[in-house]
Amino acid sequence: MRVRSAVLASLIATCCVAAATAAADGLPKLPKKAAYKVGFAQTESNNPWRIAETQSMKDIASKCGWTLVYTDAASSASKQVADVQSMIAQKVDLIVLAPREEKPLVPAVMAAKKAGIPVIAVDRDLDQSVAKPGRDYVTFIGSDFVDQGHRAAEWLIKATGGKAKIIELEGTTGASPANNRKKGFDETVKKQSGMQIIASQDGDFARDKGRQVLESLLQAHPDVTAVYAHNDEMAMGAIAALEAAGKKPGKDVIVVSIDGTKDALQAIIDGKLGATVQSSPFFGPISCKVAQRYAAGEKIEPWVKVSDLFFDKSNAQANLANGF
Amino acid sequence: MTLTLKTPGPRSLPKWAKVPSGALLGLVLLLLFNLCFTDHFLSLQTLNINMTQVSTIVIVAVGMTMVIATGGIDLSVGSLMAISGALAPLIFGARTGLLAIPAIGMIVAIVLPILAASVGGVLNGTLVARFRIQPIVATLILFIAGRGVAQVLTNGNLQTFSHAGFRWLGLGKVLGIPFQVLLMLAIVLVAAWVMRSTLFGRYILATGGNERAARLAGIPVQRVKLAVYVICGALSGLAGLLVIAINSSADANLIGLGIELDAIAAVAVGGTLLTGGRARIVGTLVGALIIQLVRYTLLAHGVPDAAALVVKAGIILVAVYLQKREN
């Protein structure tokens, strides 16, 4: 069923692309107005990160002169396509889309383009082999997950003096943040002869799974000196596992992760977590800025990179408000 | 009242303690493999980890064993865990009125979620016993709706907390043994005793063995069925509390996700007949240990998670096949 709908979606997508190229329509323009009706198509709201993202959009709406039409696709790509279609029917001025999956959302973007409504993709990109930023949608606003991995690795190299035996807790197998955070970290670490990844396992981005996996890995590899988790929730689980095994997180084993949740910042203050690279969910202000630049007729770069902060002992306390 | 039940055979072990030799063989082989090939396997810490990680599965699987022994099945255990796990932080987080007193807050935060999960069990039991809906369909209702209830309770938000009492529930030790492990062993022993030596245990087996005959013999079949679903619900509620206590966080989307399959597999591998009429509580413990040990072994040897699932299924298949041959 899933495969079939995916195939169908990509078929439709290809047709749409063909039609769009034939018509040779440019990207829809955004007129300069004082007030806009903006659709925000969220993909799900079952974790703190998504909730913070939605809140950020709602917060900016009033400041930016937006009337927000908000939908939540509840983790379903097909519902999200329908959500975007209903936004088109409501004749919104602009659609901000957090695409659930790269391919299935392309037809919805094409439909919006046909209806003359510009689309901005946030936090996850669309499949660039069928839809191009600058031609089919305005731009992709998002973090550089590979770079997040780089930064985590660089901090760890400094903190350990370039010598560490590392266990890596990966995010959900196949998810793009997991793939890219692994790529960035592994690349950087490989260049150091003293740094060695002794085990790397799937912790599903979840605290409970991260804890159980690390508990077991700790038994098999008691010589570990550092843990790299692809998100803070797994890092929290890792800290619990280390404490249960009688090791002191932050002293015996150094933990580094990515996200910047409130819990993680508190753990840094408590000395249990070494550092966390922020993966900012605060897309409201930057989306507003991009929309204003686009309305003013500026050409937008195909990827607007979100600048992610970095939290360690030196600034965790001051940034507690930036956690989510 | 005269009741003809299968009487224990002339073998030395009492029936309730009997474990199918296939399962035992599997466990022994796994242990031997690990002793030879897994570094640092022979340590107290390894034992502690495996016992704590298996405890929630065992607690749920004990309830499941009783349900299955009546010829039923309970798919809703994971969702009931989620309800109880999502409810507890809401209660001890409230800090109003009497709940502000730590001891009372703690007791209410333990009792109320377990009661809520038991109410779920009452619903399951009523649908099965009173309205004669097939157990797999009757419990499917709460399997789907229960997690929804838990998500609505929390708006789907992750709740994190730091609560000394609950922390102890998850991580505390008595004489060096994790509290959860003691709790698990106590539940196994009590359940085994109930199945062996009480009238209620006999009623369960008779109901599952031949419901018509049991009813004609005067056994309150409906009440027995209701009772096993309530017990299973309550145990699931308890397991839900343990999961959130270990992590100091409750995620309604994830608590108990997929545990019904682990529990049913543990029961099946342990030698309880899925058609009812036989219950092997100690066998269920062995079955759960096998599943846990497979997971640990694969993890320790760096096998990717996706492949591990396939291996797990294969081992369950072999264990069940061996059990089939025995019968």
Side-chain angles (χ1 to χ4, degrees), chain B residues 3-63:
Chain B
L3 246 179
T4 36
L5 286 160
K6 293 177 205 153
T7 43
R11 295 183 208 170
S12 53
L13 266 179
K15 204 168 179 123
W16 60 272
K18 251 174 52 190
V19 174
S21 50
L24 258 188
L25 187 71
L27 189 62
V28 171
L29 282 179
L30 269 169
L31 284 171
L32 281 177
F33 175 87
N34 276 301
L35 283 173
C36 297
F37 299 109
T38 308
D39 296 338
H40 321 285
F41 183 72
L42 199 62
S43 74
L44 199 62
Q45 184 67 16
T46 306
L47 183 70
N48 267 349
I49 283 169
N50 280 299
M51 293 303 267
T52 47
Q53 291 190 356
V54 84
S55 64
T56 44
I57 298 178
V58 170
I59 290 171
V60 171
V62 164

Side-chain angles (χ1 to χ4, degrees), chain B residues 78-112:
Chain B
S79 299
L80 294 178
M81 278 175 72
I83 290 181
S84 126
L87 204 53
L90 294 176
I91 295 168
F92 63 65
R95 297 184 207 288
T96 48
L98 278 174
L99 289 179
I101 303 165
I104 294 181
M106 174 90 179
I107 291 169
V108 176
I110 290 174
V111 172
L112 214 60

Side-chain angles (χ1 to χ4, degrees), chain A residues 43-44 73-81 100-101:
Chain A
T43 151
E44 60 211 353
S75 306
S76 153
S78 59
K79 177 167 186 309
Q80 198 170 31
V81 171
R100 166 141 181 91
E101 282 146 50

Side-chain angles (χ1 to χ4, degrees), chain A:
Chain A
M1 189 64 214
R2 233 210 185 133
V3 174
R4 238 175 53 197
S5 59
V7 169
L8 201 67
S10 43
L11 251 173
I12 295 171
T14 334
C15 292
C16 288
V17 173
T21 356
D25 276 341
L27 199 57
K29 296 264 175 295
L30 187 63
K32 238 185 153 159
K33 291 198 286 188
Y36 294 98
K37 192 170 167 189
V38 176
F40 175 50
Q42 178 59 285
T43 151
E44 60 211 353
S45 37
N46 59 4
N47 60 63
W49 196 92
R50 290 280 164 200
I51 293 160
E53 185 184 29
T54 303
Q55 195 54 48
S56 165
M57 285 291 172
K58 287 186 171 159
D59 289 346
I60 203 67
S62 53
K63 285 180 209 147
C64 203
W66 289 359
T67 312
L68 209 60
V69 177
Y70 169 71
T71 59
D72 175 358
S75 306
S76 153
S78 59
K79 177 167 186 309
Q80 198 170 31
V81 171
D83 288 344
V84 172
Q85 276 159 354
S86 79
M87 284 174 183
I88 296 171
Q90 292 179 54
K91 296 200 173 22
V92 295
D93 299 302
L94 170 74
I95 294 173
V96 179
L97 171 68
R100 166 141 181 91
E101 282 146 50
E102 290 189 343
K103 273 197 179 70
L105 266 300
V106 170
V109 172
M110 293 306 179
K113 182 188 174 187
K114 220 171 150 203
I117 301 169
V119 174
I120 296 175
V122 292
D123 82 60
R124 285 182 197 166
D125 202 359
L126 293 149
D127 185 352
Q128 295 216 1
S129 61
V130 276
K132 284 247 177 310
R135 187 188 75 193
D136 303 313
Y137 57 103
V138 180
T139 181
F140 162 59
I141 307 177
S143 292
D144 184 343
F145 296 133
V146 178
D147 188 53
Q148 290 174 347
H150 282 308
R151 292 170 78 185
E154 275 154 17
W155 181 87
L156 190 63
I157 291 169
K158 226 182 276 167
T160 58
K163 259 180 84 86
K165 288 194 156 74
I166 308 159
I167 290 180
E168 182 168 349
L169 290 175
E170 300 171 17
T172 314
T173 308
S176 63
N179 292 344
N180 291 334
R181 284 168 185 175
K182 180 171 177 60
K183 187 169 164 238
F185 184 86
D186 291 6
E187 272 172 7
T188 313
V189 158
K190 234 173 240 151
K191 290 180 201 144
Q192 300 282 328
S193 57
M195 308 283 280
Q196 189 195 351
I197 298 173
I198 51 177
S200 184
Q201 281 283 0
D202 184 0
D204 214 10
F205 282 135
R207 188 183 292 214
D208 192 44
K209 184 87 185 285
R211 178 185 58 80
Q212 294 198 12
V213 168
L214 190 68
E215 276 179 354
S216 304
L217 289 178
L218 278 178
Q219 283 314 111
H221 307 283
D223 51 342
V224 61
T225 60
V227 171
Y228 164 50
H230 286 186
N231 78 344
D232 284 345
E233 274 299 297
M234 288 192 294
M236 292 300 109
I239 287 170
L242 287 168
E243 283 176 338
K247 295 189 189 258
K248 274 214 166 72
K251 289 205 177 67
D252 304 331
V253 177
I254 293 174
V255 187
V256 61
S257 74
I258 296 171
D259 255 2
T261 61
K262 275 209 172 64
D263 278 0
L265 291 173
Q266 189 56 51
I268 293 177
I269 294 166
D270 298 341
K272 292 175 178 175
L273 181 64
T276 182
V277 185
Q278 187 196 34
S279 188
S280 171
F282 305 113
F283 282 94
I286 190 162
S287 302
C288 171
K289 214 162 119 197
V290 167
Q292 282 169 348
R293 280 173 55 204
Y294 187 60
E298 254 183 73
K299 187 162 171 45
I300 309 292
E301 57 278 22
W303 180 3
V304 180
K305 281 191 195 182
V306 175
S307 59
D308 292 322
L309 304 172
F310 190 90
F311 303 125
D312 61 9
K313 192 107 199 156
S314 64
N315 64 353
Q317 186 75 53
N319 279 294
L320 211 49
N322 281 331
F324 53 86

Side-chain angles (χ1 to χ4, degrees), chain B residues 223-298:
Chain B
R223 263 188 291 157
V224 169
K225 282 189 173 179
L226 183 65
V228 290
Y229 283 97
V230 172
I231 292 171
C232 190
L235 289 174
S236 305
L238 179 64
L241 294 181
L242 289 180
V243 169
I244 67 156
I246 302 168
N247 294 309
S248 288
S249 93
D251 183 352
N253 311 298
L254 288 179
I255 303 167
L257 194 66
I259 198 165
E260 61 282 341
L261 297 181
D262 277 342
I264 294 169
V267 174
V269 171
T272 298
L273 281 182
L274 289 177
T275 46
R278 192 169 78 185
R280 283 184 170 156
I281 301 283
V282 179
T284 297
L285 176 66
V286 172
L289 283 174
I290 288 179
I291 291 170
Q292 169 63 27
L293 211 52
V294 168
R295 191 155 64 183
Y296 181 86
T297 310
L298 295 171

